[in-house]
Amino acid sequence: VNETGTAASLERQCEEMAAILGVGGPVREEVLRAALADPTYAQHLLVCRGDDEFLGQLMANPPRAQEPADAGAIGTGALLRRAAESLARWAATGFSGVPQERYQARLESCAACPHLQAPPGRRAALYALAGAHAHDRSVCGRCGCGVAAKARRASDTCPEPHPERPGLNRWGDPIPATS
Ligand code: SF4
């Protein structure tokens, strides 16, 4: 990729990140690089979506990146957006989590699920934004969330019907009736 292409790609990624965070205009390059280098900062940005004051503070003060991010490897898509939405939902509930026993049961269900997958290769860096590990099978292929974080959130549920238990999802929770 030549310099012009790299700059255009970086600009596009700053715009994509702004869209994910729900802010107008592209985020600053420092914010993008810091989010990719520091998943904790990235997660803070995501959970503050919709809160202009907190988000503004975070974006005005990105931590110094330890190393340059591989911006060329970034992409975005529907799965990542859904993961971001899930984090926003969790933030709206006051960050409540499920008891440890339930958390383990959820993780076991995910581990046995055919939809569990590795983060899409070119999107692994952005998946760090959603708290997923960039290796092994750690992302739900149905909703795009990193399951280690998703299973902890009381606001989250499994989107896939259980193959043998009608009316329940793969986590064993009742599936809400659709109107
Ligand atoms: S959340 Fe449900 S669909 Fe997604 S990986 Fe876990 S069990 Fe499978």
Side-chain angles (χ1 to χ4, degrees):
V1 182
N2 62 29
E3 268 183 38
T4 311
T6 303
S9 157
L10 197 57
E11 198 176 315
R12 196 170 59 246
Q13 288 153 16
C14 287
E15 284 168 5
E16 286 175 350
M17 190 168 179
I20 289 167
L21 294 176
V23 297
V27 301
R28 288 186 300 132
E29 191 181 318
E30 291 86 341
V31 172
L32 176 72
R33 289 188 182 283
L36 292 171
D38 181 348
T40 304
Y41 174 61
Q43 190 142 0
H44 289 163
L45 288 172
L46 282 172
V47 297
C48 288
R49 279 171 93 238
D51 187 321
D52 293 344
E53 193 182 339
F54 278 121
L55 201 52
Q57 286 283 344
L58 283 170
M59 292 201 302
N61 301 288
R64 283 174 63 106
Q66 297 296 307
E67 55 191 44
D70 178 8
I74 310 165
T76 191
L79 285 184
L80 184 62
R81 290 206 177 81
R82 283 191 224 166
E85 283 162 15
S86 161
L87 280 170
R89 262 202 319 276
W90 181 45
T93 66
F95 305 102
S96 51
V98 295
Q100 187 65 13
E101 215 170 90
R102 185 129 182 255
Y103 174 61
Q104 286 301 339
R106 285 179 167 190
L107 286 184
E108 282 167 24
S109 299
C110 291
C113 176
H115 296 287
L116 193 63
Q117 62 180 43
R122 285 178 54 77
R123 293 176 181 159
L126 263 186
Y127 261 94
L129 301 186
H133 298 295
H135 56 81
D136 300 336
R137 298 194 311 144
S138 59
V139 169
C140 171
R142 288 282 282 103
C143 67
C145 293
V147 293
K150 174 184 175 69
R152 255 191 212 295
R153 297 192 284 264
S155 59
D156 248 296
T157 191
C158 166
E160 183 71 10
H162 196 285
E164 291 153 15
R165 301 169 70 190
L168 301 182
N169 62 22
R170 283 181 173 269
W171 281 356
D173 297 330
I175 298 172
T178 50
S179 51

